[in-house]
Amino acid sequence: MDTRCLIVLLSFLAALDGKKFRCDYRYFHNANGWLKLHRVPANWAEARLRCHLEGSNLASPLNVGLKSAMSVLIGEASGDMTCGAFTGIHAMFSRGDLYSIEGVPLSKIPHTWASGEPDNYKDQESCIAMLPDGNLADVDCSDPLPYICYKSSAKTMVMTSCGTTDNEYAFDARTGSCYKFHSVPRTWSRAYMACSAEGGHLAIINNDAEATVIRELFAKHPGGSMIGNFWKDVAFVGFHDWNEHGEWLTIHGETLQEAGYAKFSGGEPNNATTGEYCGAVYRTALLDDLWCENKYAFICEKNPDSLLCDNDL
Ligand SMILES: *[C@@H]1O[C@H](CO)[C@@H](O)[C@H](O)[C@H]1NC(C)=O
Ligand SMILES: [Ca+2]
Ligand SMILES: [Ca+2]
Ligand SMILES: [Ca+2]
């Protein structure tokens, strides 16, 4: 094989690598995995959760390869990133005990501090940011910063027909959508975030066939299969009163009638407890209003193609 063929072959393999996890992540050989820069600043806890929900970890410069990949991303975004980006290094569990998300202690992470750091300013700095020059600083976990998520390529992943490596999404030919039942309960807003991070959205029931799909999903998740002290006969889905109490619209802005399914359960919506402004379904797939801040199971829906980014088409 001549060199030109080899280069073509290698770049082809690199392109495949780049698609094995998700197209919004970029593969870095020296980091042995995929990274994604989140430019919209978030506090550390939100950043950790979003990476987790995307199937990755808030990135830390665990080795020189990861550090250089993170520096590339921070460098490309510099200008809006003079304060750097959050790393996964934190002391959330015990002040002063700094570990990466993966549990690697700071003493085992090669690092240099920016001048004057760490200073634990006002005794309020329990998270570690990486500056554009690669040096670290301790910062306030509640101040929003951009951040980077990392997915190691150590485990092989399979891209399913749902356009994701998350094999909990299952395609249903009756609707042409993929569905995932989340049995880890979350508030409605966190449920929305989880579906969005997975490349989907809280399920929108568009017809009776889809209501049947939802009923069958529930049947596969009997109450006894879910861990925790929450009501197991309801799940959040994609409609809301958009804070105009009284009118229900889907998260895509349609009335329930326009969306194609507006069957509330008998007596619902009843605006019980402290006011119920978030959309849910019973096991029957009949609709219910629920208190947004309570935690319940939820159902995500995903277009099988929706994680294809523009540059893949
Ligand atoms: C729902 O209940 C809350 C609390 O009781 C009340 O303040 C609110 O006006 C009710 N909303 C509607 C649309 O009935
Ligand atoms: Ca500091
Ligand atoms: Ca739908
Ligand atoms: Ca209700």
Side-chain angles (χ1 to χ4, degrees):
M1 194 187 296
D2 71 23
T3 329
R4 223 176 108 250
C5 287
L6 189 62
I7 289 168
V8 169
L9 179 65
L10 285 178
S11 53
F12 177 64
L13 289 175
L16 279 183
D17 269 343
K19 281 184 188 176
K20 248 187 302 182
F21 179 46
R22 15 189 309 165
C23 72
D24 50 346
Y25 279 63
R26 200 198 304 179
Y27 189 76
F28 287 84
H29 279 281
N30 53 356
N32 287 313
W34 295 267
L35 288 95
K36 174 180 176 179
L37 170 73
H38 283 267
R39 283 173 182 261
V40 178
N43 67 45
W44 190 90
E46 294 283 322
R48 182 212 62 89
L49 180 60
R50 189 166 297 276
C51 292
H52 171 63
L53 294 174
E54 287 184 353
S56 60
N57 281 335
L58 187 54
S60 299
L62 298 177
N63 50 56
V64 288
L66 254 170
K67 181 181 175 181
S68 84
M70 290 174 71
S71 296
V72 167
L73 290 175
I74 294 176
E76 284 175 5
S78 63
D80 43 324
M81 288 187 63
T82 46
C83 294
F86 272 126
T87 69
I89 305 169
H90 68 95
M92 296 295 284
F93 299 133
S94 157
R95 299 186 74 190
D97 291 320
L98 289 161
Y99 288 84
S100 77
I101 297 284
E102 298 85 353
V104 181
L106 180 62
S107 60
K108 295 232 168 93
I109 301 173
H111 63 277
T112 49
W113 293 104
S115 81
E117 302 286 354
D119 61 350
N120 191 22
Y121 183 66
K122 289 188 175 169
D123 199 19
Q124 300 237 319
E125 302 197 315
S126 288
C127 289
I128 304 297
M130 191 170 133
L131 306 182
D133 62 7
N135 289 332
L136 302 186
D138 58 350
V139 294
D140 188 332
C141 304
S142 59
D143 280 345
L145 280 182
Y147 56 100
I148 296 168
C149 303
Y150 171 67
K151 177 72 173 180
S152 158
S153 57
K155 285 188 199 140
T156 49
M157 286 170 287
V158 178
M159 184 62 70
T160 70
S161 56
C162 286
T164 168
T165 54
D166 180 346
N167 57 23
E168 287 184 53
Y169 273 92
F171 180 73
D172 199 297
R174 289 169 287 185
T175 61
S177 280
C178 296
Y179 301 90
K180 176 175 175 179
F181 189 99
H182 281 260
S183 53
V184 174
R186 298 193 190 276
T187 64
W188 190 90
S189 176
R190 288 303 204 206
Y192 182 104
M193 179 183 182
C195 295
S196 169
E198 290 172 353
H201 57 81
L202 277 170
I204 297 173
I205 306 178
N206 297 105
N207 47 49
D208 288 330
E210 198 158 20
T212 302
V213 172
I214 298 293
R215 255 193 313 278
E216 291 174 5
L217 265 176
F218 253 119
K220 286 182 190 149
H221 294 86
S225 71
M226 294 184 234
I227 298 167
N229 180 21
F230 61 97
W231 187 21
K232 313 279 171 60
D233 293 330
V234 286
F236 281 132
V237 291
F239 68 98
H240 199 278
D241 74 359
W242 293 65
N243 303 323
E244 285 295 326
H245 306 328
E247 183 184 32
W248 298 99
L249 300 176
T250 73
I251 51 172
H252 293 167
E254 294 180 307
T255 64
L256 300 181
Q257 284 77 11
E258 284 166 350
Y261 185 84
K263 295 179 184 164
F264 275 93
S265 193
E268 304 289 356
N270 65 355
N271 191 33
T273 53
T274 54
E276 302 192 313
Y277 308 128
C278 284
V281 278
Y282 284 102
R283 286 186 176 273
T284 55
L286 294 171
L287 305 179
D288 179 25
D289 57 343
L290 278 181
W291 187 28
C292 306
E293 299 305 323
N294 265 357
K295 295 182 180 183
Y296 300 108
F298 57 100
I299 300 168
C300 302
E301 175 178 359
K302 185 180 174 304
N303 178 327
D305 302 327
S306 66
L307 257 192
L308 282 179
C309 298
D310 291 345
N311 53 13
D312 283 346
L313 298 173

